[in-house]
Amino acid sequence: MTQEALDRLVSETWMPGVAAQARDGGGVWSGTAGVADLETGRGRSAADHFRAASITKTFLATLVLQLEAEGKLALDDSVDRWLPGVIRGNGNDGRRISVRQLLQHTSGLFSFSEDPEMRKLFSAEGFLEHRYDTFAPEDVLSAALRHRPLFEPGKGWAYSNTNYLVAGLVVEAVTGHSYRYEIERRILRPLKLRETFFPGTDPTLPAPHPVAYSTLYVPGPHAEVHDATEYNTTMWAGSADLVSTTGDVNRFLAALLGGKLLPAAQLRAMLQLVRVPEGALIDRYGLGLMGRELPCGKTVWGHDGSLQGSLSHASGTVGGRHVLTFNINGDWLTQQTARFYQDVIEAEFCGTKPGVKVGTKPGMKPGSKVGTKPESKVGTKPGSKVGSRPDAKPGTPPLD
């Protein structure tokens, strides 16, 4: 069922390719569809490295909860306790925001990725001009603090990359080390996740990797598709800057949901979910974990991730006995075509045949094939145009 869902995901959305791995009591299964490179026809591989984007948030939340278990911080500590005076201005006040609210997206902090000036730097022509720029955390944070809070802390829910930028700064204040160092020391090395790392200012990906095809969030029909593989992701520090593979993400998620990374009390706290607004692609959000209630009655926990040319999903069942990770090397999924993304999850965990819907999630309207297949062009270089995505209506990534 899962392989059929992968095939349909590529054929019905005209994504270049997808690679997936699932693990359950029966062992490890890998599947692919489509290609890693439209020019050469090279296929996707289970060993492909990709930008895991917001799956980074689950790693960082796990680290924060480890620190809480060790008594080095408390979830109800104010941000101001660790970053005195840093969150101020335009109604923002770190004295009123807790560490828990950062991890749960209930802080009310405006997402820097929604700031118009920041969007100019990572979308459309701005991406091509600034893709190799290095960003300091304080400069990214200042973009968020130009805006008033979305709501009073604890009085709403809104996905904000600023929350995890700040959480990374809190970790540094608590430990004296960067969140990258602590994640590597506490999670990556013990689990032997040798293909997972933070690239820092390095814009390249190690082999093997797919070409990351992106419309650069340009709306409207006939959006140009670009090679967005090379990218300095320092803008996304703490929120979306991890590189990994399907196998490594699965090992991490299985260990997390299986209770191998956190004591029981901290794992319970991570799974204490709040409802999100209707129309989102998820149902609930915990501490760095998304919850999806599937039509077959199962609930899975994990995270989605999206950056230019890369859409990823990871989820698993409590206990960590069944996990799934997949990555798409294209980013023009729309609300109408998101059903094919969801079909992969339901095929794996519910055994649902793709195209047979037990129920339809609000905001995910069934749709037919969108547009026609992008035409690749030979001799492309990073940043060059490689074709067009007819009729695609890309917008802001739903949860990144």
Side-chain angles (χ1 to χ4, degrees):
M1 293 295 183
T2 307
Q3 181 60 58
E4 184 178 346
L6 296 177
D7 293 337
R8 282 171 56 88
L9 174 63
V10 170
S11 65
E12 297 295 329
T13 66
W14 297 118
M15 290 294 176
V18 58
Q21 188 195 85
R23 298 176 56 179
D24 60 15
V28 178
W29 174 86
S30 296
T32 65
V35 299
D37 188 325
L38 288 169
E39 178 184 344
T40 66
R42 173 172 57 91
R44 289 298 310 259
S45 161
D48 282 347
H49 297 84
F50 55 85
R51 302 193 190 281
S54 278
I55 295 173
T56 306
K57 293 178 172 69
T58 308
F59 283 78
L60 181 52
T62 301
L63 167 60
V64 172
L65 286 161
Q66 288 179 342
L67 295 173
E68 198 238 2
E70 295 166 7
K72 295 180 179 178
L73 59 73
L75 290 178
D76 293 324
D77 285 348
S78 71
V79 170
D80 206 67
R81 175 176 177 180
W82 298 106
L83 303 173
V86 171
I87 308 299
R88 290 287 196 283
N90 292 318
N92 299 288
D93 189 344
R95 293 168 295 188
R96 302 176 58 202
I97 298 171
S98 70
V99 173
R100 186 192 308 273
Q101 289 166 345
L102 293 177
L103 302 184
Q104 200 171 52
H105 294 299
T106 55
S107 71
L109 289 172
F110 187 88
S111 182
F112 66 80
S113 54
E114 295 300 318
D115 174 74
E117 294 306 310
M118 293 298 287
R119 285 189 63 82
K120 290 179 183 178
L121 301 179
F122 69 80
S123 61
E125 295 300 319
F127 171 82
L128 303 178
E129 181 179 352
H130 296 284
R131 67 192 302 168
Y132 298 111
D133 292 359
T134 296
F135 294 85
E138 55 268 26
D139 294 332
V140 179
L141 180 58
S142 68
L145 297 181
R146 288 197 286 261
H147 302 267
R148 292 192 60 80
L150 300 172
F151 47 79
E152 291 294 313
K155 301 298 183 182
W157 185 90
Y159 192 87
S160 172
N161 287 300
T162 306
N163 288 320
Y164 279 76
L165 170 65
V166 176
L169 297 174
V170 169
V171 167
E172 184 172 356
V174 172
T175 66
H177 302 119
S178 70
Y179 68 88
R180 296 180 294 274
Y181 172 86
E182 291 292 339
I183 287 175
E184 181 177 355
R185 182 174 73 88
R186 293 165 170 268
I187 298 174
L188 305 187
R189 290 179 189 170
L191 293 180
K192 296 181 172 57
L193 304 182
R194 297 186 178 92
E195 306 303 322
T196 302
F197 63 97
F198 292 95
T201 60
D202 186 350
T204 64
L205 290 174
H209 67 262
V211 176
Y213 294 101
S214 177
T215 55
L216 305 180
Y217 311 134
V218 175
H222 306 287
E224 294 288 346
V225 177
H226 298 263
D227 177 346
T229 309
E230 291 191 3
Y231 184 22
N232 178 327
T233 54
T234 49
M235 177 188 292
W236 306 94
S239 66
D241 55 334
L242 192 71
V243 171
S244 193
T245 63
T246 57
D248 269 16
V249 173
N250 272 344
R251 284 193 292 276
F252 162 70
L253 193 58
L256 174 61
L257 296 174
K260 296 178 181 178
L261 292 176
L262 293 173
Q266 278 67 39
L267 185 55
R268 283 197 300 272
M270 202 173 199
L271 295 174
Q272 289 177 356
L273 308 178
V274 296
R275 289 283 176 180
V276 305
E278 186 174 328
L281 297 183
I282 60 173
D283 301 286
R284 295 176 287 173
Y285 200 95
L287 304 182
L289 279 177
M290 298 174 176
R292 275 181 169 85
E293 300 170 0
L294 303 181
C296 61
K298 293 183 179 179
T299 298
V300 292
W301 284 262
H303 219 287
D304 295 322
S306 60
L307 277 179
Q308 289 83 348
S310 181
L311 297 177
S312 303
H313 170 81
S315 61
T317 56
V318 171
R321 290 177 292 276
H322 192 178
V323 292
L324 166 72
T325 298
F326 62 89
N327 168 261
I328 308 165
N329 57 319
D331 63 7
W332 47 84
L333 199 69
T334 68
Q335 195 170 44
Q336 287 70 41
T337 58
R339 59 171 290 194
F340 301 105
Y341 179 98
Q342 183 75 7
D343 277 352
V344 178
I345 305 167
E346 293 177 14
E348 178 60 32
F349 291 102
C350 298
T352 305
K353 185 176 177 60
V356 178
K357 307 307 292 180
V358 178
T360 301
K361 182 170 174 52
M364 296 173 63
K365 300 176 182 178
S368 58
K369 186 166 16 180
V370 179
T372 56
K373 187 175 181 179
E375 296 179 1
S376 61
K377 294 184 180 179
V378 298
T380 58
K381 298 179 181 179
S384 63
K385 298 176 182 178
V386 296
S388 62
R389 173 69 179 99
D391 301 328
K393 297 181 175 62
T396 302
L399 287 168
D400 219 87

